[in-house]
Amino acid sequence: MRDAKSEAKRIIQDEHRSISAVLSGLKDLARLAQDPRVKPGFEVLRAMIYYIDAYPERMHHPKEDRHLFAKLLERDPSSRALVESLQSEHVQGASLVRDLEQALLRFEELWPRGAAEFAAAVERYARFHWDHMRREEHQVLPQCEAKLTAADWEEIRSAFAGNEDPIADLRQSDFTRLYQRIVNLAPEPVGVGAPWARGR
């Protein structure tokens, strides 16, 4: 069985991989949506942006702030600048999601106009979030490995596993269903859904 540190890191990195998979799929679909002859499946685009808003912004990042970052600051006050920078990025990321939602609303209302603006919003958010996750994995996690105690890692593992919140596991299963819905709705190569139909 994994120790708490290995398990906590695995959960955090697995969550990053899930977020990355949705972002990568969203970028692919935003590129596909540039063809004005093919009407996008707005339902899957809405589901993907809902996932990005609800999972990273409302569940993953708050746990990082309250547990991972807080413990690192407690054990290593010299990490304050790094932690505050990443916390600031969490706030900035939430704002970029609002931009993404607005770009999708405009695109759906004005289609086929708005495709380039939507793709640009997707690109901005994806690049921002990938850079953010890279900093966490290449800077924060190594510092945590060096500074945190076994008890700290157990607290972090428990928080990310949802054991401190009796409804967190239910929410996690909801996200698993949402992720499966995205896969079922999205056309190849992102998912297994039907190709987008020609709209004109």
Side-chain angles (χ1 to χ4, degrees):
M1 182 168 173
R2 294 174 186 262
D3 61 27
K5 176 169 68 173
S6 298
E7 184 66 10
K9 286 178 57 190
R10 181 196 64 76
I11 293 169
I12 292 166
Q13 290 169 331
D14 282 354
E15 289 185 0
H16 284 176
R17 299 298 88 77
S18 292
I19 295 163
S20 289
V22 172
L23 288 174
S24 181
L26 186 59
K27 280 188 61 170
D28 287 344
L29 294 184
R31 277 195 296 272
L32 182 60
Q34 299 305 296
D35 184 346
R37 298 164 301 171
V38 177
K39 186 164 187 182
F42 287 106
E43 185 180 13
V44 70
L45 298 176
R46 286 193 302 270
M48 294 171 103
I49 292 174
Y50 175 78
Y51 178 95
I52 289 165
D53 180 38
Y55 190 65
E57 300 300 333
R58 298 187 195 179
M59 288 187 68
H60 179 79
H61 292 164
K63 286 182 181 180
E64 287 177 334
D65 290 337
R66 285 195 301 267
H67 301 283
L68 187 70
F69 295 170
K71 280 297 177 189
L72 179 57
L73 271 179
E74 183 183 325
R75 301 298 178 197
D76 182 13
S78 71
S79 67
R80 180 166 299 280
L82 172 62
V83 166
E84 288 180 352
S85 171
L86 289 167
Q87 287 172 326
S88 173
E89 288 180 4
H90 285 174
V91 174
Q92 186 183 354
S95 174
L96 288 172
V97 170
R98 302 289 81 78
D99 294 345
L100 199 51
E101 290 170 338
Q102 291 301 313
L104 178 60
L105 282 171
R106 285 191 299 274
F107 182 27
E108 189 166 4
E109 216 169 274
L110 301 173
W111 180 83
R113 290 180 292 131
E117 293 80 0
F118 175 66
V122 169
E123 181 63 33
R124 275 193 303 276
Y125 184 82
R127 188 182 307 118
F128 169 84
H129 212 286
W130 279 326
D131 288 345
H132 175 78
M133 290 188 293
R134 193 175 301 114
R135 289 183 71 202
E136 289 176 341
E137 294 197 11
H138 295 175
Q139 296 178 47
V140 172
L141 287 180
Q143 284 187 241
C144 287
E145 284 191 86
K147 302 292 183 178
L148 270 50
T149 67
D152 294 336
W153 282 111
E154 178 54 38
E155 180 184 317
I156 293 164
R157 184 208 62 77
S158 180
F160 273 86
N163 294 340
E164 292 181 346
D165 181 347
I167 66 168
D169 290 334
L170 173 62
R171 288 203 304 265
Q172 180 62 46
S173 70
D174 289 342
F175 283 113
T176 300
R177 284 196 293 273
L178 175 60
Y179 192 88
Q180 189 58 51
R181 183 166 184 261
I182 289 167
V183 170
N184 289 335
L185 285 172
E188 291 184 355
V190 176
V192 296
W196 287 347
R198 298 230 168 222
R200 321 184 102 188

